[in-house]
Amino acid sequence: MADLARLSLNTVTVREQWDLPQAIEGCVRHAIPAIAPWRDKLAAYGLGNAVRHIRDAGLAVSSLCRGGMFTAADAAGRMAAIDDNRRAIDEAAALGAQSLIMVVGGLPPGSKDLPGARAQVRDGLAAVLPHARAAGVGLALEPLHPMACADRAVLSTAAQALTLAEALGDGVGVALDCYHVWWDPALAGSIAACAGRILGFHVSDWRLETRDTVFDRGMMGDGVIDLCGIRGMVEAAGYHGLIEVEIMSRLDWWQRDPDAVLRMVQERFASAV
Ligand code: ZN
């Protein structure tokens, strides 16, 4: 059973119901100790407002979601992505976020060059890494399920993310999202190999009858992922930090009363994670 002291609310879980100040107040009301904001809501509230509000609320910030999206059809697009990632690093530093989540980007528009896209990702990360190191912000490479390879992340497995993190060196690690990595036959060995480089751990569930591969994530315990088992692997690899609940659910949880969602998050965090 996961300790509620490790629970962090990834704000996408209540994205459709609450803006960032409401999510912060929701965490306070439910005694959830940590939060992971998304940049669109952060921009809407204002960085300074968010920094003050989160600090005054006494919340830890497990991560900022998200940087990445380095792949582009031309050099100007790649440079714009690098500039935007530097801003994201500054925001993460201001928030005291434990890491910046990196969803690295898919194939550039019109391209079928997957190795080329992966090279763009590596080069983009290398370009922003000095800024991240100077700011003290860890870059957390998040592998996404291969169904997202074309449009969101050419990083698909924990092993692939670890290989890239090790090649880039200090300041780069891996974020393990159960929704994206649970199916991987090499998962146990890959998580063990990630020891010392795990910067984040995200939970939700994979509904047996998934109706939308992005926006139909299940509440922990409502699907087929062995969340306790994966948590055990992550802890055996030395990660005992915050655990983000990240549920994108257009058809269900985004339709519900957000306070009821947070109560269910806590209940299932304790019983199913
Ligand atoms: Zn995630």
PDB file of all heavy atoms in Angstrom, residues 8 10 36 62-65 99 101-103 140 142 174-181 198-205 217 220 225 227 230 234 239 242-246 273:
ATOM      1  N   SER A   8       1.096  12.822  -5.068  1.00  0.00           N
ATOM      2  CA  SER A   8       1.115  14.116  -5.750  1.00  0.00           C
ATOM      3  C   SER A   8       0.000  14.134  -6.786  1.00  0.00           C
ATOM      4  O   SER A   8      -0.161  13.187  -7.551  1.00  0.00           O
ATOM      5  CB  SER A   8       2.469  14.343  -6.435  1.00  0.00           C
ATOM      6  OG  SER A   8       2.451  15.588  -7.136  1.00  0.00           O
ATOM      7  N   ASN A  10      -1.232  15.166 -10.114  1.00  0.00           N
ATOM      8  CA  ASN A  10      -0.976  15.752 -11.424  1.00  0.00           C
ATOM      9  C   ASN A  10      -2.274  16.440 -11.848  1.00  0.00           C
ATOM     10  O   ASN A  10      -3.320  15.798 -11.956  1.00  0.00           O
ATOM     11  CB  ASN A  10      -0.552  14.675 -12.427  1.00  0.00           C
ATOM     12  CG  ASN A  10      -0.111  15.284 -13.746  1.00  0.00           C
ATOM     13  OD1 ASN A  10      -0.879  15.988 -14.379  1.00  0.00           O
ATOM     14  ND2 ASN A  10       1.118  15.013 -14.136  1.00  0.00           N
ATOM     15  N   ALA A  36       1.570  18.573  -9.306  1.00  0.00           N
ATOM     16  CA  ALA A  36       2.347  18.649 -10.549  1.00  0.00           C
ATOM     17  C   ALA A  36       1.533  19.449 -11.559  1.00  0.00           C
ATOM     18  O   ALA A  36       0.597  18.924 -12.156  1.00  0.00           O
ATOM     19  CB  ALA A  36       2.648  17.253 -11.087  1.00  0.00           C
ATOM     20  N   SER A  62       6.122  17.928  -7.496  1.00  0.00           N
ATOM     21  CA  SER A  62       6.832  16.721  -7.959  1.00  0.00           C
ATOM     22  C   SER A  62       7.429  16.923  -9.342  1.00  0.00           C
ATOM     23  O   SER A  62       8.512  16.418  -9.638  1.00  0.00           O
ATOM     24  CB  SER A  62       5.894  15.512  -7.945  1.00  0.00           C
ATOM     25  OG  SER A  62       4.707  15.772  -8.672  1.00  0.00           O
ATOM     26  N   SER A  63       6.716  17.636 -10.204  1.00  0.00           N
ATOM     27  CA  SER A  63       7.260  17.907 -11.539  1.00  0.00           C
ATOM     28  C   SER A  63       6.476  19.049 -12.165  1.00  0.00           C
ATOM     29  O   SER A  63       5.404  19.427 -11.682  1.00  0.00           O
ATOM     30  CB  SER A  63       7.165  16.676 -12.449  1.00  0.00           C
ATOM     31  OG  SER A  63       5.826  16.467 -12.876  1.00  0.00           O
ATOM     32  N   LEU A  64       7.038  19.572 -13.246  1.00  0.00           N
ATOM     33  CA  LEU A  64       6.292  20.462 -14.129  1.00  0.00           C
ATOM     34  C   LEU A  64       6.055  19.700 -15.428  1.00  0.00           C
ATOM     35  O   LEU A  64       6.981  19.109 -15.996  1.00  0.00           O
ATOM     36  CB  LEU A  64       7.080  21.746 -14.405  1.00  0.00           C
ATOM     37  CG  LEU A  64       6.426  22.713 -15.409  1.00  0.00           C
ATOM     38  CD1 LEU A  64       5.097  23.247 -14.890  1.00  0.00           C
ATOM     39  CD2 LEU A  64       7.378  23.884 -15.716  1.00  0.00           C
ATOM     40  N   CYS A  65       4.812  19.691 -15.900  1.00  0.00           N
ATOM     41  CA  CYS A  65       4.440  19.040 -17.160  1.00  0.00           C
ATOM     42  C   CYS A  65       4.138  20.116 -18.194  1.00  0.00           C
ATOM     43  O   CYS A  65       3.309  20.954 -17.934  1.00  0.00           O
ATOM     44  CB  CYS A  65       3.197  18.176 -16.989  1.00  0.00           C
ATOM     45  SG  CYS A  65       3.480  16.701 -16.001  1.00  0.00           S
ATOM     46  N   SER A  99      11.461  17.901 -11.000  1.00  0.00           N
ATOM     47  CA  SER A  99      11.960  17.638 -12.348  1.00  0.00           C
ATOM     48  C   SER A  99      11.050  18.320 -13.367  1.00  0.00           C
ATOM     49  O   SER A  99       9.948  18.766 -13.036  1.00  0.00           O
ATOM     50  CB  SER A  99      12.008  16.132 -12.639  1.00  0.00           C
ATOM     51  OG  SER A  99      10.708  15.595 -12.685  1.00  0.00           O
ATOM     52  N   ILE A 101       9.204  17.223 -16.738  1.00  0.00           N
ATOM     53  CA  ILE A 101       8.847  16.046 -17.531  1.00  0.00           C
ATOM     54  C   ILE A 101       9.080  16.341 -19.009  1.00  0.00           C
ATOM     55  O   ILE A 101       8.659  17.388 -19.515  1.00  0.00           O
ATOM     56  CB  ILE A 101       7.367  15.661 -17.305  1.00  0.00           C
ATOM     57  CG1 ILE A 101       7.134  15.274 -15.841  1.00  0.00           C
ATOM     58  CG2 ILE A 101       6.938  14.542 -18.255  1.00  0.00           C
ATOM     59  CD1 ILE A 101       7.859  14.030 -15.380  1.00  0.00           C
ATOM     60  N   MET A 102       9.723  15.404 -19.688  1.00  0.00           N
ATOM     61  CA  MET A 102      10.025  15.565 -21.096  1.00  0.00           C
ATOM     62  C   MET A 102       9.243  14.557 -21.936  1.00  0.00           C
ATOM     63  O   MET A 102       9.552  13.357 -21.928  1.00  0.00           O
ATOM     64  CB  MET A 102      11.524  15.351 -21.334  1.00  0.00           C
ATOM     65  CG  MET A 102      12.382  16.482 -20.812  1.00  0.00           C
ATOM     66  SD  MET A 102      12.113  17.951 -21.850  1.00  0.00           S
ATOM     67  CE  MET A 102      13.291  19.079 -21.145  1.00  0.00           C
ATOM     68  N   VAL A 103       8.229  15.054 -22.645  1.00  0.00           N
ATOM     69  CA  VAL A 103       7.576  14.264 -23.692  1.00  0.00           C
ATOM     70  C   VAL A 103       8.261  14.720 -24.972  1.00  0.00           C
ATOM     71  O   VAL A 103       8.050  15.840 -25.437  1.00  0.00           O
ATOM     72  CB  VAL A 103       6.060  14.494 -23.709  1.00  0.00           C
ATOM     73  CG1 VAL A 103       5.415  13.796 -24.892  1.00  0.00           C
ATOM     74  CG2 VAL A 103       5.458  13.979 -22.404  1.00  0.00           C
ATOM     75  N   ALA A 140      13.448  14.817 -16.877  1.00  0.00           N
ATOM     76  CA  ALA A 140      12.907  13.466 -16.707  1.00  0.00           C
ATOM     77  C   ALA A 140      12.342  12.971 -18.036  1.00  0.00           C
ATOM     78  O   ALA A 140      11.274  13.413 -18.469  1.00  0.00           O
ATOM     79  CB  ALA A 140      11.816  13.476 -15.636  1.00  0.00           C
ATOM     80  N   GLU A 142      10.346  10.834 -20.330  1.00  0.00           N
ATOM     81  CA  GLU A 142       9.202   9.946 -20.116  1.00  0.00           C
ATOM     82  C   GLU A 142       8.945   9.130 -21.382  1.00  0.00           C
ATOM     83  O   GLU A 142       8.489   9.678 -22.395  1.00  0.00           O
ATOM     84  CB  GLU A 142       7.941  10.748 -19.742  1.00  0.00           C
ATOM     85  CG  GLU A 142       6.753   9.831 -19.462  1.00  0.00           C
ATOM     86  CD  GLU A 142       5.565  10.539 -18.801  1.00  0.00           C
ATOM     87  OE1 GLU A 142       5.778  11.456 -18.008  1.00  0.00           O
ATOM     88  OE2 GLU A 142       4.422  10.154 -19.081  1.00  0.00           O
ATOM     89  N   VAL A 174      14.874   9.444 -15.829  1.00  0.00           N
ATOM     90  CA  VAL A 174      13.727   8.803 -16.470  1.00  0.00           C
ATOM     91  C   VAL A 174      12.495   8.990 -15.578  1.00  0.00           C
ATOM     92  O   VAL A 174      12.583   8.897 -14.357  1.00  0.00           O
ATOM     93  CB  VAL A 174      14.015   7.298 -16.678  1.00  0.00           C
ATOM     94  CG1 VAL A 174      12.811   6.587 -17.251  1.00  0.00           C
ATOM     95  CG2 VAL A 174      15.231   7.117 -17.577  1.00  0.00           C
ATOM     96  N   ALA A 175      11.356   9.279 -16.199  1.00  0.00           N
ATOM     97  CA  ALA A 175      10.067   9.266 -15.499  1.00  0.00           C
ATOM     98  C   ALA A 175       9.300   8.033 -15.965  1.00  0.00           C
ATOM     99  O   ALA A 175       9.142   7.821 -17.175  1.00  0.00           O
ATOM    100  CB  ALA A 175       9.267  10.530 -15.805  1.00  0.00           C
ATOM    101  N   LEU A 176       8.863   7.228 -15.027  1.00  0.00           N
ATOM    102  CA  LEU A 176       8.168   5.982 -15.358  1.00  0.00           C
ATOM    103  C   LEU A 176       6.678   6.158 -15.106  1.00  0.00           C
ATOM    104  O   LEU A 176       6.241   6.330 -13.965  1.00  0.00           O
ATOM    105  CB  LEU A 176       8.726   4.844 -14.504  1.00  0.00           C
ATOM    106  CG  LEU A 176      10.199   4.519 -14.774  1.00  0.00           C
ATOM    107  CD1 LEU A 176      10.757   3.628 -13.676  1.00  0.00           C
ATOM    108  CD2 LEU A 176      10.381   3.873 -16.137  1.00  0.00           C
ATOM    109  N   ASP A 177       5.906   6.141 -16.194  1.00  0.00           N
ATOM    110  CA  ASP A 177       4.450   6.265 -16.109  1.00  0.00           C
ATOM    111  C   ASP A 177       3.860   4.881 -16.381  1.00  0.00           C
ATOM    112  O   ASP A 177       4.005   4.352 -17.489  1.00  0.00           O
ATOM    113  CB  ASP A 177       3.968   7.294 -17.140  1.00  0.00           C
ATOM    114  CG  ASP A 177       2.477   7.575 -17.020  1.00  0.00           C
ATOM    115  OD1 ASP A 177       1.721   6.661 -16.628  1.00  0.00           O
ATOM    116  OD2 ASP A 177       2.069   8.712 -17.324  1.00  0.00           O
ATOM    117  N   CYS A 178       3.215   4.326 -15.373  1.00  0.00           N
ATOM    118  CA  CYS A 178       2.707   2.946 -15.501  1.00  0.00           C
ATOM    119  C   CYS A 178       1.823   2.764 -16.729  1.00  0.00           C
ATOM    120  O   CYS A 178       1.851   1.705 -17.370  1.00  0.00           O
ATOM    121  CB  CYS A 178       1.932   2.556 -14.240  1.00  0.00           C
ATOM    122  SG  CYS A 178       2.977   2.407 -12.785  1.00  0.00           S
ATOM    123  N   TYR A 179       1.037   3.780 -17.068  1.00  0.00           N
ATOM    124  CA  TYR A 179       0.133   3.683 -18.217  1.00  0.00           C
ATOM    125  C   TYR A 179       0.910   3.424 -19.502  1.00  0.00           C
ATOM    126  O   TYR A 179       0.420   2.776 -20.421  1.00  0.00           O
ATOM    127  CB  TYR A 179      -0.662   4.978 -18.346  1.00  0.00           C
ATOM    128  CG  TYR A 179      -1.771   4.932 -19.375  1.00  0.00           C
ATOM    129  CD1 TYR A 179      -2.985   4.319 -19.096  1.00  0.00           C
ATOM    130  CD2 TYR A 179      -1.602   5.517 -20.636  1.00  0.00           C
ATOM    131  CE1 TYR A 179      -4.002   4.290 -20.033  1.00  0.00           C
ATOM    132  CE2 TYR A 179      -2.623   5.496 -21.581  1.00  0.00           C
ATOM    133  CZ  TYR A 179      -3.823   4.874 -21.273  1.00  0.00           C
ATOM    134  OH  TYR A 179      -4.832   4.841 -22.210  1.00  0.00           O
ATOM    135  N   HIS A 180       2.133   3.933 -19.562  1.00  0.00           N
ATOM    136  CA  HIS A 180       2.926   3.816 -20.786  1.00  0.00           C
ATOM    137  C   HIS A 180       3.879   2.630 -20.794  1.00  0.00           C
ATOM    138  O   HIS A 180       4.290   2.174 -21.865  1.00  0.00           O
ATOM    139  CB  HIS A 180       3.724   5.102 -21.005  1.00  0.00           C
ATOM    140  CG  HIS A 180       2.882   6.264 -21.423  1.00  0.00           C
ATOM    141  ND1 HIS A 180       2.189   6.281 -22.605  1.00  0.00           N
ATOM    142  CD2 HIS A 180       2.597   7.441 -20.811  1.00  0.00           C
ATOM    143  CE1 HIS A 180       1.521   7.423 -22.717  1.00  0.00           C
ATOM    144  NE2 HIS A 180       1.747   8.132 -21.639  1.00  0.00           N
ATOM    145  N   VAL A 181       4.276   2.135 -19.640  1.00  0.00           N
ATOM    146  CA  VAL A 181       5.343   1.117 -19.634  1.00  0.00           C
ATOM    147  C   VAL A 181       4.903  -0.264 -19.151  1.00  0.00           C
ATOM    148  O   VAL A 181       5.681  -1.220 -19.239  1.00  0.00           O
ATOM    149  CB  VAL A 181       6.557   1.588 -18.786  1.00  0.00           C
ATOM    150  CG1 VAL A 181       7.120   2.907 -19.328  1.00  0.00           C
ATOM    151  CG2 VAL A 181       6.210   1.708 -17.310  1.00  0.00           C
ATOM    152  N   ILE A 198      15.896   7.424 -11.622  1.00  0.00           N
ATOM    153  CA  ILE A 198      14.436   7.562 -11.650  1.00  0.00           C
ATOM    154  C   ILE A 198      14.064   8.913 -11.035  1.00  0.00           C
ATOM    155  O   ILE A 198      14.334   9.173  -9.867  1.00  0.00           O
ATOM    156  CB  ILE A 198      13.752   6.403 -10.900  1.00  0.00           C
ATOM    157  CG1 ILE A 198      14.087   5.069 -11.585  1.00  0.00           C
ATOM    158  CG2 ILE A 198      12.226   6.625 -10.868  1.00  0.00           C
ATOM    159  CD1 ILE A 198      13.596   3.844 -10.841  1.00  0.00           C
ATOM    160  N   LEU A 199      13.454   9.766 -11.849  1.00  0.00           N
ATOM    161  CA  LEU A 199      13.103  11.120 -11.397  1.00  0.00           C
ATOM    162  C   LEU A 199      11.611  11.291 -11.185  1.00  0.00           C
ATOM    163  O   LEU A 199      11.164  12.330 -10.689  1.00  0.00           O
ATOM    164  CB  LEU A 199      13.597  12.160 -12.417  1.00  0.00           C
ATOM    165  CG  LEU A 199      15.115  12.258 -12.608  1.00  0.00           C
ATOM    166  CD1 LEU A 199      15.447  13.366 -13.607  1.00  0.00           C
ATOM    167  CD2 LEU A 199      15.828  12.507 -11.289  1.00  0.00           C
ATOM    168  N   GLY A 200      10.823  10.301 -11.589  1.00  0.00           N
ATOM    169  CA  GLY A 200       9.378  10.429 -11.401  1.00  0.00           C
ATOM    170  C   GLY A 200       8.687   9.103 -11.602  1.00  0.00           C
ATOM    171  O   GLY A 200       9.203   8.226 -12.309  1.00  0.00           O
ATOM    172  N   PHE A 201       7.521   8.963 -10.947  1.00  0.00           N
ATOM    173  CA  PHE A 201       6.736   7.728 -11.036  1.00  0.00           C
ATOM    174  C   PHE A 201       5.266   8.128 -11.086  1.00  0.00           C
ATOM    175  O   PHE A 201       4.789   8.835 -10.191  1.00  0.00           O
ATOM    176  CB  PHE A 201       7.043   6.842  -9.818  1.00  0.00           C
ATOM    177  CG  PHE A 201       6.317   5.521  -9.810  1.00  0.00           C
ATOM    178  CD1 PHE A 201       6.247   4.724 -10.944  1.00  0.00           C
ATOM    179  CD2 PHE A 201       5.699   5.062  -8.652  1.00  0.00           C
ATOM    180  CE1 PHE A 201       5.577   3.503 -10.935  1.00  0.00           C
ATOM    181  CE2 PHE A 201       5.036   3.842  -8.626  1.00  0.00           C
ATOM    182  CZ  PHE A 201       4.975   3.067  -9.776  1.00  0.00           C
ATOM    183  N   HIS A 202       4.573   7.721 -12.154  1.00  0.00           N
ATOM    184  CA  HIS A 202       3.190   8.157 -12.397  1.00  0.00           C
ATOM    185  C   HIS A 202       2.264   6.942 -12.414  1.00  0.00           C
ATOM    186  O   HIS A 202       2.593   5.917 -13.009  1.00  0.00           O
ATOM    187  CB  HIS A 202       3.073   8.860 -13.753  1.00  0.00           C
ATOM    188  CG  HIS A 202       4.010  10.013 -13.919  1.00  0.00           C
ATOM    189  ND1 HIS A 202       4.190  10.676 -15.114  1.00  0.00           N
ATOM    190  CD2 HIS A 202       4.830  10.637 -13.029  1.00  0.00           C
ATOM    191  CE1 HIS A 202       5.066  11.651 -14.952  1.00  0.00           C
ATOM    192  NE2 HIS A 202       5.476  11.644 -13.707  1.00  0.00           N
ATOM    193  N   VAL A 203       1.103   7.103 -11.788  1.00  0.00           N
ATOM    194  CA  VAL A 203       0.139   6.000 -11.770  1.00  0.00           C
ATOM    195  C   VAL A 203      -1.238   6.436 -12.287  1.00  0.00           C
ATOM    196  O   VAL A 203      -1.674   7.571 -12.121  1.00  0.00           O
ATOM    197  CB  VAL A 203      -0.018   5.383 -10.351  1.00  0.00           C
ATOM    198  CG1 VAL A 203       1.285   4.745  -9.901  1.00  0.00           C
ATOM    199  CG2 VAL A 203      -0.481   6.416  -9.335  1.00  0.00           C
ATOM    200  N   SER A 204      -1.882   5.470 -12.915  1.00  0.00           N
ATOM    201  CA  SER A 204      -3.290   5.504 -13.345  1.00  0.00           C
ATOM    202  C   SER A 204      -3.561   4.048 -13.708  1.00  0.00           C
ATOM    203  O   SER A 204      -2.861   3.172 -13.201  1.00  0.00           O
ATOM    204  CB  SER A 204      -3.494   6.453 -14.541  1.00  0.00           C
ATOM    205  OG  SER A 204      -2.780   6.009 -15.677  1.00  0.00           O
ATOM    206  N   ASP A 205      -4.534   3.757 -14.552  1.00  0.00           N
ATOM    207  CA  ASP A 205      -4.725   2.350 -14.898  1.00  0.00           C
ATOM    208  C   ASP A 205      -5.140   2.215 -16.362  1.00  0.00           C
ATOM    209  O   ASP A 205      -5.605   3.184 -16.973  1.00  0.00           O
ATOM    210  CB  ASP A 205      -5.774   1.701 -13.979  1.00  0.00           C
ATOM    211  CG  ASP A 205      -5.427   0.254 -13.640  1.00  0.00           C
ATOM    212  OD1 ASP A 205      -4.750  -0.406 -14.457  1.00  0.00           O
ATOM    213  OD2 ASP A 205      -5.822  -0.201 -12.552  1.00  0.00           O
ATOM    214  N   ARG A 217      -7.885   7.150 -19.590  1.00  0.00           N
ATOM    215  CA  ARG A 217      -7.134   6.474 -18.521  1.00  0.00           C
ATOM    216  C   ARG A 217      -8.075   6.101 -17.378  1.00  0.00           C
ATOM    217  O   ARG A 217      -9.030   6.825 -17.086  1.00  0.00           O
ATOM    218  CB  ARG A 217      -6.040   7.388 -17.971  1.00  0.00           C
ATOM    219  CG  ARG A 217      -4.889   7.624 -18.933  1.00  0.00           C
ATOM    220  CD  ARG A 217      -3.770   8.330 -18.187  1.00  0.00           C
ATOM    221  NE  ARG A 217      -2.641   8.646 -19.052  1.00  0.00           N
ATOM    222  CZ  ARG A 217      -1.393   8.775 -18.610  1.00  0.00           C
ATOM    223  NH1 ARG A 217      -1.118   8.604 -17.323  1.00  0.00           N
ATOM    224  NH2 ARG A 217      -0.422   9.075 -19.425  1.00  0.00           N
ATOM    225  N   MET A 220      -6.825   4.156 -10.587  1.00  0.00           N
ATOM    226  CA  MET A 220      -6.033   3.032 -10.090  1.00  0.00           C
ATOM    227  C   MET A 220      -6.977   1.975  -9.518  1.00  0.00           C
ATOM    228  O   MET A 220      -7.867   2.289  -8.721  1.00  0.00           O
ATOM    229  CB  MET A 220      -5.057   3.494  -9.002  1.00  0.00           C
ATOM    230  CG  MET A 220      -4.045   4.515  -9.459  1.00  0.00           C
ATOM    231  SD  MET A 220      -4.699   6.202  -9.510  1.00  0.00           S
ATOM    232  CE  MET A 220      -4.809   6.579  -7.769  1.00  0.00           C
ATOM    233  N   ILE A 225      -3.335  -3.007 -14.807  1.00  0.00           N
ATOM    234  CA  ILE A 225      -1.917  -2.809 -14.485  1.00  0.00           C
ATOM    235  C   ILE A 225      -1.620  -3.253 -13.051  1.00  0.00           C
ATOM    236  O   ILE A 225      -2.343  -2.898 -12.114  1.00  0.00           O
ATOM    237  CB  ILE A 225      -1.516  -1.327 -14.651  1.00  0.00           C
ATOM    238  CG1 ILE A 225      -1.813  -0.841 -16.071  1.00  0.00           C
ATOM    239  CG2 ILE A 225      -0.036  -1.143 -14.322  1.00  0.00           C
ATOM    240  CD1 ILE A 225      -1.498   0.632 -16.301  1.00  0.00           C
ATOM    241  N   LEU A 227      -0.065  -2.289 -10.428  1.00  0.00           N
ATOM    242  CA  LEU A 227       0.566  -1.068  -9.911  1.00  0.00           C
ATOM    243  C   LEU A 227       1.429  -1.354  -8.690  1.00  0.00           C
ATOM    244  O   LEU A 227       2.519  -0.796  -8.550  1.00  0.00           O
ATOM    245  CB  LEU A 227      -0.516  -0.028  -9.575  1.00  0.00           C
ATOM    246  CG  LEU A 227      -1.316   0.490 -10.786  1.00  0.00           C
ATOM    247  CD1 LEU A 227      -2.534   1.277 -10.321  1.00  0.00           C
ATOM    248  CD2 LEU A 227      -0.446   1.351 -11.692  1.00  0.00           C
ATOM    249  N   ILE A 230       4.697  -2.893  -9.907  1.00  0.00           N
ATOM    250  CA  ILE A 230       5.622  -1.935 -10.526  1.00  0.00           C
ATOM    251  C   ILE A 230       6.187  -0.988  -9.467  1.00  0.00           C
ATOM    252  O   ILE A 230       7.373  -0.651  -9.490  1.00  0.00           O
ATOM    253  CB  ILE A 230       4.921  -1.168 -11.668  1.00  0.00           C
ATOM    254  CG1 ILE A 230       4.492  -2.151 -12.776  1.00  0.00           C
ATOM    255  CG2 ILE A 230       5.850  -0.099 -12.245  1.00  0.00           C
ATOM    256  CD1 ILE A 230       3.675  -1.522 -13.894  1.00  0.00           C
ATOM    257  N   VAL A 234      10.135  -0.181  -8.684  1.00  0.00           N
ATOM    258  CA  VAL A 234      10.685   1.173  -8.647  1.00  0.00           C
ATOM    259  C   VAL A 234      11.367   1.430  -7.294  1.00  0.00           C
ATOM    260  O   VAL A 234      12.444   2.044  -7.230  1.00  0.00           O
ATOM    261  CB  VAL A 234       9.546   2.190  -8.924  1.00  0.00           C
ATOM    262  CG1 VAL A 234       9.964   3.609  -8.594  1.00  0.00           C
ATOM    263  CG2 VAL A 234       9.103   2.093 -10.377  1.00  0.00           C
ATOM    264  N   TYR A 239      13.929   4.316  -5.719  1.00  0.00           N
ATOM    265  CA  TYR A 239      13.067   5.505  -5.758  1.00  0.00           C
ATOM    266  C   TYR A 239      11.999   5.418  -4.682  1.00  0.00           C
ATOM    267  O   TYR A 239      11.152   4.518  -4.701  1.00  0.00           O
ATOM    268  CB  TYR A 239      12.405   5.667  -7.130  1.00  0.00           C
ATOM    269  CG  TYR A 239      11.576   6.943  -7.210  1.00  0.00           C
ATOM    270  CD1 TYR A 239      12.181   8.172  -7.446  1.00  0.00           C
ATOM    271  CD2 TYR A 239      10.198   6.920  -7.005  1.00  0.00           C
ATOM    272  CE1 TYR A 239      11.442   9.351  -7.483  1.00  0.00           C
ATOM    273  CE2 TYR A 239       9.441   8.096  -7.038  1.00  0.00           C
ATOM    274  CZ  TYR A 239      10.078   9.298  -7.280  1.00  0.00           C
ATOM    275  OH  TYR A 239       9.343  10.461  -7.312  1.00  0.00           O
ATOM    276  N   LEU A 242       7.964  11.078  -4.465  1.00  0.00           N
ATOM    277  CA  LEU A 242       6.544  11.328  -4.714  1.00  0.00           C
ATOM    278  C   LEU A 242       6.033  10.477  -5.878  1.00  0.00           C
ATOM    279  O   LEU A 242       6.767  10.158  -6.808  1.00  0.00           O
ATOM    280  CB  LEU A 242       6.321  12.816  -5.015  1.00  0.00           C
ATOM    281  CG  LEU A 242       6.583  13.743  -3.822  1.00  0.00           C
ATOM    282  CD1 LEU A 242       6.696  15.196  -4.284  1.00  0.00           C
ATOM    283  CD2 LEU A 242       5.472  13.594  -2.777  1.00  0.00           C
ATOM    284  N   ILE A 243       4.745  10.125  -5.794  1.00  0.00           N
ATOM    285  CA  ILE A 243       4.083   9.338  -6.831  1.00  0.00           C
ATOM    286  C   ILE A 243       2.928  10.184  -7.368  1.00  0.00           C
ATOM    287  O   ILE A 243       2.017  10.564  -6.625  1.00  0.00           O
ATOM    288  CB  ILE A 243       3.533   8.014  -6.263  1.00  0.00           C
ATOM    289  CG1 ILE A 243       4.676   7.181  -5.656  1.00  0.00           C
ATOM    290  CG2 ILE A 243       2.791   7.238  -7.342  1.00  0.00           C
ATOM    291  CD1 ILE A 243       4.183   5.933  -4.902  1.00  0.00           C
ATOM    292  N   GLU A 244       2.984  10.481  -8.664  1.00  0.00           N
ATOM    293  CA  GLU A 244       1.939  11.317  -9.272  1.00  0.00           C
ATOM    294  C   GLU A 244       0.766  10.475  -9.742  1.00  0.00           C
ATOM    295  O   GLU A 244       0.953   9.475 -10.431  1.00  0.00           O
ATOM    296  CB  GLU A 244       2.485  12.070 -10.491  1.00  0.00           C
ATOM    297  CG  GLU A 244       3.338  13.257 -10.153  1.00  0.00           C
ATOM    298  CD  GLU A 244       3.845  13.983 -11.401  1.00  0.00           C
ATOM    299  OE1 GLU A 244       3.196  13.917 -12.465  1.00  0.00           O
ATOM    300  OE2 GLU A 244       4.922  14.599 -11.299  1.00  0.00           O
ATOM    301  N   VAL A 245      -0.419  10.921  -9.399  1.00  0.00           N
ATOM    302  CA  VAL A 245      -1.636  10.366  -9.996  1.00  0.00           C
ATOM    303  C   VAL A 245      -1.980  11.235 -11.199  1.00  0.00           C
ATOM    304  O   VAL A 245      -2.181  12.445 -11.069  1.00  0.00           O
ATOM    305  CB  VAL A 245      -2.793  10.339  -8.986  1.00  0.00           C
ATOM    306  CG1 VAL A 245      -4.096   9.956  -9.680  1.00  0.00           C
ATOM    307  CG2 VAL A 245      -2.471   9.372  -7.852  1.00  0.00           C
ATOM    308  N   GLU A 246      -2.009  10.602 -12.375  1.00  0.00           N
ATOM    309  CA  GLU A 246      -2.175  11.334 -13.638  1.00  0.00           C
ATOM    310  C   GLU A 246      -3.239  10.634 -14.475  1.00  0.00           C
ATOM    311  O   GLU A 246      -2.970   9.658 -15.161  1.00  0.00           O
ATOM    312  CB  GLU A 246      -0.831  11.366 -14.384  1.00  0.00           C
ATOM    313  CG  GLU A 246      -0.863  12.187 -15.649  1.00  0.00           C
ATOM    314  CD  GLU A 246       0.485  12.165 -16.376  1.00  0.00           C
ATOM    315  OE1 GLU A 246       1.177  11.132 -16.343  1.00  0.00           O
ATOM    316  OE2 GLU A 246       0.835  13.196 -16.984  1.00  0.00           O
ATOM    317  N   VAL A 273      -2.349   1.055  -5.102  1.00  0.00           N
ATOM    318  CA  VAL A 273      -0.988   1.391  -5.520  1.00  0.00           C
ATOM    319  C   VAL A 273       0.016   0.848  -4.510  1.00  0.00           C
ATOM    320  O   VAL A 273       1.009   0.258  -4.821  1.00  0.00           O
ATOM    321  CB  VAL A 273      -0.792   2.919  -5.674  1.00  0.00           C
ATOM    322  CG1 VAL A 273       0.638   3.253  -6.080  1.00  0.00           C
ATOM    323  CG2 VAL A 273      -1.771   3.477  -6.705  1.00  0.00           C
TER     324      VAL A 273
END
